[in-house]
Every structure is written in structure tokens, then in C-alpha cells.
Amino acid sequence: MAVEQPQAQAQAQAMAPAGEQTRIHDIGYRNYDGPRLGRAYARRSLYSQTLRGAYGLGRSAKSKVLPMLLFVVMCVPALIMVAVAVATKANDLPVAYTRYAVIMQALIGLYVASQAPQAVSRDLRFKTVPLYFSRPIETADYVRAKYAALASALFILTAAPLLVLYVGALLAKLDFTDQTKGFAQGLVSVALLSLLFAGIGLVIASVTPRRGFGIAAVIAVLTISYGAVSTLQAIADAQMSSGAIPWIGLFSPITLIDGVQTAFLGASSSFPGAVGPGTGEGVVYALVVLGLIAASYGLLMRRYKKVGL
């Protein structure tokens, strides 16, 4: 009899109308009545977070060491140059504004290699990208925020020593007009450099979720391309083929920036024999730089459309 009673209850529940079987339980969740900040706010937050992370802000003390060290090392030579100019009462700075980033390109490459994977590889490794794209951020928002953040971090790294040089030049009472013009040209140069290097670094880093592989790949691309171009330019100079030197410079990121600033920003070329591109060749350099920046953005968009599925 005890066995038949549960069976009878089950049959009675099965015969009951569907409405009587449905139960709604209040487990304490509340509706959100606050403001919906939307995509723009999410995009700004992602940009700010990535930019802060590029210098270790908001992260562990260990994460701050390398970016802050590179920032200091970038600025120390500028401080020394300013001190020398003030002490010797020189008529000009030892190094032109447009020349500084070319001299310090190894440190810039190391910074890109360390921070580009940090910006994107962790999201890939921990599979958080689909969460970003669930709502309200879209693929374009993510790519723009990451690209803008790394480019801004690079601009800070490369423009800070130029600002040190400029302030020091004014303190040394060098010609205000000449120094302001040179400083403005230097800012344009490092802005292009920041966009180009950030794009290349992010494209390479977005391929792998492993940060170590990303770092090695970025260093390899930037170092090997510059080494190969410099070697070929030196060979062309030794064989008196100076006309080929500017065209060889099209195949390395830093020599591309050097060629643009030589052609349009009044910089002296660092190519062998100081054989830089003329105006016509400079147009080709500028188009290649802009094309690489656009291609980097396009490749990132394509990559994250697949990742976000």
C-alpha cells in the first residue's frame, strides 16, 4: 500500500494542467535600474586598461619593472645630452629630434615585443575574447581600443625624451623657432613610428596565445628585417650602387620611418653614405607606411572576427 501511494501521486501530477505544475521561485535577483553606458564607455575602459597595463599600472610590481626601466633608459640619454648642451653652451643639441628614435630603436623594439603580447595574448590564452564580444563591445571596438592603447603607450615612450630635449634646449637658450620646428617634426616622426610598430606587434602577437612565442616572434621580425636591410644597404654602398640604397630601405619598419622623415621632415638619413630617399621615393615610403598601418588594422579585424566566434 505504501508503494502504491507515490505512484498515485505521480499519476495525479501528470494529469494536472500544465499551469498548476509551473512554479516561479524568487531567489533574490534584482533588476538593474542604473544607466546603460554602452559601447563607447566599454571601448574607453578597454583602452584605458590596456594603456595602463602597458606600463604595469594596476598590475603586480614585477610587471612594472621592464616597461618602467625601458622608459627611464629612453630618457636618460636625452638628459645627458641636455646637460652637455647647457654645460658647454652649445649652439645646438648633439642629436636632432628626428634622429633620436632611430638611435634608440633597439629599446623601442624590445618594448613592443614585451607589451604587444601582454595586450592581446592573455585574452586569447584564457579565452575571454568571446566574453568581450557578447555585449556590448564589437570586434571593431576591441581592435581599435587595443591598437590605440599600444600606439599611445609607444608614443609616450618615444615622445617623452623628445620633450626632455626640447625643454633642455629652451633652458640652454637655443633658438626657440628652430627648436620648436625640430620638436614638431620629431613628434610627427614618432607618431608614425608608434602606429606602425604597434600594428606590426599586435598582428604578430594575436597569432599565438603564448606570450613567450609572441615576444620572440616580434623581436625576430623587427631585428631580422633591420639587420638584413642594413647588410644589403652596406653591400650596395660598397659596390657603389647608391641608387639601390633607398629602395632597399622599404623592407624594414625602422628604415621606413627613417626614409619618411628624411624625405619630408628635414632629417638627415642614417642610411650608408647618408643616401636617403628624395621626394619621389619619399612618396613611396609614405604610401608603404600608411599601407602597412591599414593592413595591420585589417588583419587584426579579420583575426578577431574568427576568434570571437
Side-chain angles (χ1 to χ4, degrees):
M1 186 71 178
V3 176
E4 295 178 355
Q5 185 174 0
Q7 294 178 351
Q9 291 178 353
Q11 291 176 358
Q13 290 177 358
M15 295 174 63
E20 295 183 6
Q21 296 180 30
T22 304
R23 296 289 186 272
I24 298 176
H25 300 279
D26 184 2
I27 58 177
Y29 289 119
R30 296 182 179 179
N31 292 330
Y32 176 72
D33 298 324
R36 301 290 179 176
L37 300 177
R39 289 174 55 191
Y41 178 82
R43 187 168 55 243
R44 288 194 301 269
S45 298
L46 185 58
Y47 167 82
S48 175
Q49 178 191 26
T50 306
L51 179 56
R52 285 167 53 83
Y55 285 96
L57 303 178
R59 300 169 61 198
S60 65
K62 182 180 178 181
S63 301
K64 295 179 176 66
V65 173
L66 182 58
M68 291 300 183
L69 179 62
L70 291 175
F71 181 83
V72 171
V73 174
M74 280 288 294
C75 293
V76 166
L79 288 170
I80 296 173
M81 293 176 191
V82 166
V84 171
V86 172
T88 60
K89 297 181 180 180
N91 295 324
D92 205 351
L93 293 171
V95 173
Y97 295 97
T98 51
R99 178 77 173 157
Y100 194 88
V102 176
I103 296 174
M104 306 296 287
Q105 50 119 353
L107 288 176
I108 298 172
L110 182 58
Y111 182 86
V112 175
S114 64
Q115 298 309 313
Q118 185 274 329
V120 296
S121 294
R122 291 191 304 170
D123 293 340
L124 294 171
R125 183 177 181 181
F126 297 110
K127 303 184 186 302
T128 57
V129 177
L131 298 179
Y132 281 119
F133 295 163
S134 60
R135 191 178 59 178
I137 283 182
E138 296 183 359
T139 304
D141 299 319
Y142 182 88
V143 170
R144 289 169 188 168
K146 293 291 184 178
Y147 199 150
L150 186 58
S152 298
L154 271 170
F155 183 76
I156 292 171
L157 180 76
T158 53
L162 300 188
L163 181 60
V164 172
L165 289 175
Y166 180 65
V167 173
L170 297 183
L171 292 176
K173 298 181 179 180
L174 301 182
D175 185 77
F176 176 79
T177 303
D178 289 343
Q179 297 304 316
T180 302
K181 180 181 178 182
F183 178 58
Q185 291 172 335
L187 290 180
V188 173
S189 175
V190 297
L192 281 175
L193 183 148
S194 300
L195 288 170
L196 180 60
F197 276 52
I200 294 173
L202 287 175
V203 168
I204 297 171
S206 67
V207 174
T208 174
R210 297 185 177 275
R211 185 180 178 187
F213 290 165
I215 292 173
V218 174
I219 291 176
V221 169
L222 296 179
T223 303
I224 293 175
S225 63
Y226 176 70
V229 165
S230 298
T231 301
L232 292 174
Q233 286 180 326
I235 293 173
D237 184 55
Q239 295 181 350
M240 304 300 178
S241 300
S242 58
I245 293 176
W247 298 111
I248 296 173
L250 291 169
F251 298 96
S252 168
I254 191 63
T255 53
L256 278 169
I257 299 299
D258 188 286
V260 170
Q261 66 183 20
T262 299
F264 300 112
L265 300 176
S268 58
S269 177
S270 62
F271 294 172
V275 182
T279 303
E281 295 164 329
V283 171
V284 177
Y285 269 73
L287 290 176
V288 171
V289 169
L290 295 176
L292 285 175
I293 293 172
S296 298
Y297 178 78
L299 289 172
L300 286 171
M301 288 289 294
R302 183 176 180 180
R303 167 64 173 157
Y304 281 98
K305 282 182 179 178
K306 295 180 180 179
V307 172
L309 294 177

